[in-house]
């Protein structure tokens, strides 16, 4: 549509009208449009994904794949806002997918799931797992195909109130999720002294801060990363700390389990 921008304003408006398009952004068009929910990323707290848009897409979809070292396939898919979930299957296209009706004409789609995590008609909360990332249907690899629609019309995707870009390939734009992080986190205590809190679950990641001694912490989520050895034990699970805004190895969490019970995945 680059050539349209070079036309005089009136001619551009006429061309848009003939194409059945609106010169007003889709999410602002019309009077009395219901405000969109505050959508969050469709993947777990703390994870960093890259995304792209394919020009052949019918609606304004974005495809997401992980870029933080974790596997895309098998990662939980989360509801980006609360609503009512409906399951669908389209083997020749979207594969296993879920649509969530958020009310006010707003709907989100999540395509190519390897499995469903909720039944049709379920009321889901923002951040609740609704499926598992896969590559079912017309898909060349595991990813989350994600859409936001208003009254059935695809919209430019907005996360946390900010519009995302539409790059033509991966690794040009990235999104770190705060979906499902929890407002307060889960209480634990650490042990040891001089424990480094790092920017990611890697021993080479930058140090955010250092815990001088045993500390009461709030854990938002956990994920697997580099293996850490201490006091004769090994552990590759890491916890994201709310107040320190970084990760520590679970080996320094004062709990006997390698993977902390009840704490969601990042």
């Amino acid at each position: 549509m680059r050539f349209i921008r070079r036309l005089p304003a009136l001619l551009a408006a006429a061309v848009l009208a003939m194409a059945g398009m609106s010169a007003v952004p889709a999410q602002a068009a019309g009077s009395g449009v219901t405000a969109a929910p505050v959508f969050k990323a469709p993947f777990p707290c703390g994870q960093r994904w890259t995304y792209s848009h394919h020009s052949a897409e019918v609606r304004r979809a974005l495809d997401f794949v992980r870029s933080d070292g974790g596997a895309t396939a098998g990662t939980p898919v989360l509801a980006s806002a609360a609503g009512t979930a409906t399951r669908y299957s389209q083997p020749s296209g979207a594969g296993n997918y879920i649509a969530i009706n958020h009310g006010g004409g707003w709907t989100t789609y999540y395509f190519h799931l390897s499995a469903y995590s909720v039944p049709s008609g379920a009321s889901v909360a923002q951040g609740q797992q609704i499926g598992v990332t896969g590559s079912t249907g017309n898909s060349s690899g595991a990813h989350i195909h994600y859409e936001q629609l208003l009254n059935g019309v695809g919209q430019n995707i907005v996360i946390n109130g900010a519009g995302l870009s539409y790059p033509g390939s991966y690794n040009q734009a990235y999104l770190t999720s705060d979906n499902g992080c929890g407002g307060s986190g889960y209480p634990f205590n650490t042990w040891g002294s001089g424990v480094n809190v790092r920017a990611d679950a890697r021993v080479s990641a930058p140090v955010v801060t250092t815990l001088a001694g045993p500390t009461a912490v709030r854990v938002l989520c956990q994920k697997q990363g580099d293996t850490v050895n201490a006091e004769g034990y090994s552990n590759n699970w890491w916890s994201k700390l709310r107040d320190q805004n970084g990760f520590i190895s679970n080996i320094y969490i004062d709990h006997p389990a390698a993977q902390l019970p009840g704490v969601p995945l990042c």
Side-chain angles (χ1 to χ4, degrees):
M1 302 298 283
R2 187 176 298 168
F3 69 95
I4 288 180
R5 298 193 186 98
R6 300 186 184 132
L7 296 175
L10 290 177
L11 181 56
V15 171
L16 288 169
M18 291 173 62
M21 299 170 63
S22 171
V24 180
Q27 288 185 337
S31 59
V33 172
T34 302
V38 179
F39 292 114
K40 292 187 177 294
F43 45 87
C45 171
Q47 291 185 1
R48 184 171 185 257
W49 293 49
T50 182
Y51 55 89
S52 69
H53 172 73
H54 302 292
S55 59
E57 297 282 9
V58 176
R59 293 180 292 266
R60 298 292 291 164
L62 287 174
D63 292 334
F64 291 87
V65 297
R66 288 191 71 169
S67 60
D68 57 6
T72 299
T75 296
V77 177
L78 307 186
S80 60
T84 301
T86 303
R87 291 162 41 161
Y88 297 95
S89 179
Q90 186 185 55
S92 62
N96 301 323
Y97 73 100
I98 280 182
I100 300 180
N101 182 342
H102 305 286
W106 289 96
T107 307
T108 49
Y109 285 170
Y110 313 75
F111 287 6
H112 309 302
L113 305 175
S114 64
Y116 304 107
S117 300
V118 293
S120 272
S123 294
V124 296
Q126 185 175 67
Q128 181 176 341
Q129 181 172 340
I130 58 171
V132 179
T133 304
S135 186
T136 57
N138 184 13
S139 170
S140 60
H143 67 284
I144 302 173
H145 170 113
Y146 175 72
E147 301 180 18
Q148 294 174 355
L149 295 86
L150 175 59
N151 296 325
V153 178
Q155 307 293 298
N156 289 343
I157 289 175
V158 173
I159 299 295
N160 287 332
L164 299 189
S165 61
Y166 274 75
S169 60
Y170 294 122
N171 300 312
Q172 295 182 20
Y174 301 87
L175 179 66
T176 298
S177 175
D178 67 347
N179 196 0
C181 290
S184 58
Y186 300 82
F188 289 93
N189 291 302
T190 68
W191 65 273
S193 59
V195 176
N196 288 326
V197 180
R198 298 185 179 273
D200 200 0
R202 295 176 287 108
V203 294
S204 62
V207 175
V208 175
T209 188
T210 300
L211 304 180
T215 305
V217 295
R218 307 290 295 195
V219 175
L220 294 175
C221 60
Q222 60 187 330
K223 68 177 182 178
Q224 290 179 298
D226 288 349
T227 298
V228 175
N229 302 296
E231 300 290 329
Y233 295 95
S234 297
N235 197 340
N236 71 337
W237 283 93
W238 293 65
S239 288
K240 183 172 186 180
L241 305 184
R242 181 195 67 182
D243 301 322
Q244 292 76 19
N245 194 29
F247 289 85
I248 65 167
S249 167
N250 279 9
I251 207 165
Y252 296 113
I253 298 290
D254 191 11
H255 192 282
Q259 180 180 357
L260 300 178
V263 176
L265 300 180
C266 294

